Amino acid sequence: MSKYFANIYDTVNTLWTGMRITWGHMINIKRDNVTLQYPEERWPRPERNIGFEHEDYNVIRSRLHVDIDDCIGCLKCERACPVDCIKIDTIKAPNRGEDIPEVKHTGETSNGTKKAMVVSRFTIDMSECCYCNLCTYPCPEECIFMVGGPNSSKHPIDYEFSEFDRTDLIYQFAKKLSPEQKDGLQNPKPEAEA
Amino acid sequence: MTVDMLIDWFATIGDFPILSFLLAVIISGVPLFLIMALNAMVAVYVERKVSAFMMDRIGPMGQGPGLHAGKWGLLQTAADAVKLLVKEDTVPETSDKFLFKMAPYIIFIGAFLGLAAVPFSSVLQVADFNVGVFYIIAVGSIGVIGIVMAGWASNNKWSLYGAMRSAAQIISYEIPAGLSIIVPIMMAGTMNLQEMIHFQEGNVWGILPNWIIFNNPFTFIAFFIFFISAVAETNRTPFDIPEAESELVAGWMTEYSGFRWAVFFLSEYANMLVVSGLAVAGFLGGWQSPIPGMFDTGAWGLFWFMGKLILLIFVMMWFRWTFPRLRVDQLMHVCWKVFIPIAMFNIFGVGIWKLIFG
Ligand code: SF4
Ligand code: SF4
């Protein structure tokens, strides 16, 4: 009989303990909250360069970006890529180093190199890219790079590039050229040739 | 009460008894339904928030006024209601289609009828019966029929298990609930809810309001037995073995979707309202103010009643998000070996107390 009442006492006591705990969590929600409302709030990104001490080593391999105005169309990055996800088409420019306003082509890079090629297509399929960073080293103009990290001044970090369609992961960097414009560049008019 | 008043008032206009009766029922029934719907919307929102806060989460935050930039997800349940209404209404191929479609409405009727006798204030009560307590307990059992119907008609083992468990549980827990609600009936000497609340006027021992719960130690225990049994009757955690997600998918609700499921939800929350209303009227002084003699005129009655109701519903949520589910045998143990003997003893004690002190 005494065990019966001891049981009841024990039950009430432990239930009350549990209720006190949940109550405590409820009123201290401001302090204890663990939910991060993702698009509005984010965890701070760790500021670090892991691994090799070379401070230019771009460890934050978040996404490739190409400053297309600086690209001379040398195809070195395309050849370096182990998975062949960079595709570049070029057309010989009529006059080396001259602007072509109708296709928004600038004649010189920011380093002063005169461009011989108009880049008519520059796509990187980020769904194939293995983020090996190998394409960025050979680039003579340093215009293909991983965003963020040491390059934060050129382009902010972006590691949230999800898309609804896989083809949207093929990034287009070259300026859009219409077929006529391409044709005009490929088959220059006789006067220009002369 | 409103029904009677309306019928009397119609009688002064002209002599058309059936029409006036129908009108009176509709006029008092529609607000009741609105209360039910509003209660479900608000209570679901609050429940989600309370559960979230107790688990260190923040609950729904997206849908608010000004979607997504929204404020605290205030419109979340409105969005959910719209979603439920436009959802596909599936009826299983092999189910007993007639019973399957009927079940939600039977459960709904049980909850709705119970709500009709809840005394929201001294005048706001749809029907003032002289057997109010008895009536609420009686119509409360209609829900079991609906649950068993739903479980049987779904033609699904989980649903049937859930329904059987629910029947066993509700029928068992009606006994301690009934035995405990006898205590205020003995104290007040009436089954009429308004008279019972009027009995609780004034104060006891100088400071406490003269609510039945404070009247003597037996009523104090009786309140807790009644309240816990009431939680069990509404099939809420820790007594939710009929729907036990981890064992029975969703118990007797497994096969339901869309609007019918929304009706189940509506009824669950309305049931909470009804049993809490009965507990408030029977033990916590109904619409009487907690400070005797102050703030007890007019609309204050409604305020106090709703306040006590909300408090009890909150405690139900608090239970739900604190306690783990009881096993079937534990459930029966608590009911038959703990609650019923103590409730019996309570009745005896209150009888003696009344003989000596009252
Ligand atoms: S990071 Fe590697 S895989 Fe990606 S484009 Fe550059 S070379 Fe190719
Ligand atoms: S290596 Fe640099 S300059 Fe050469 S094609 Fe690639 S991006 Fe352009």
Side-chain angles (χ1 to χ4, degrees), chain A residues 64 77 80-83 85-86 124 128-136 146:
Chain A
L64 278 171
C77 53
C81 179
V83 294
C85 64
I86 303 180
I124 303 179
E128 282 181 23
C129 173
C130 64
Y131 303 90
C132 64
N133 214 16
L134 288 177
C135 51
T136 69
M146 290 282 182

Side-chain angles (χ1 to χ4, degrees), chain B residues 89-172:
Chain B
D89 182 19
T90 52
V91 179
E93 188 66 24
T94 53
S95 66
D96 186 332
K97 298 208 174 52
F98 178 70
L99 290 185
F100 188 85
K101 287 175 183 164
M102 281 302 291
Y105 305 111
I106 300 235
I107 296 175
F108 179 82
I109 285 169
F112 190 73
L113 287 181
L115 210 55
V118 173
F120 288 100
S121 85
S122 50
V123 284
L124 277 179
Q125 183 185 12
V126 171
D128 188 18
F129 298 106
N130 52 2
V131 288
V133 177
F134 189 56
Y135 168 81
I136 291 187
I137 296 266
V139 295
S141 331
I142 294 179
V144 191
I145 303 172
I147 291 176
V148 174
M149 268 168 77
W152 175 256
S154 297
N155 198 3
N156 165 331
K157 57 190 168 206
W158 306 128
S159 301
L160 190 58
Y161 274 141
M164 290 304 158
R165 285 177 175 194
S166 178
Q169 172 183 337
I170 294 182
I171 289 169
S172 303

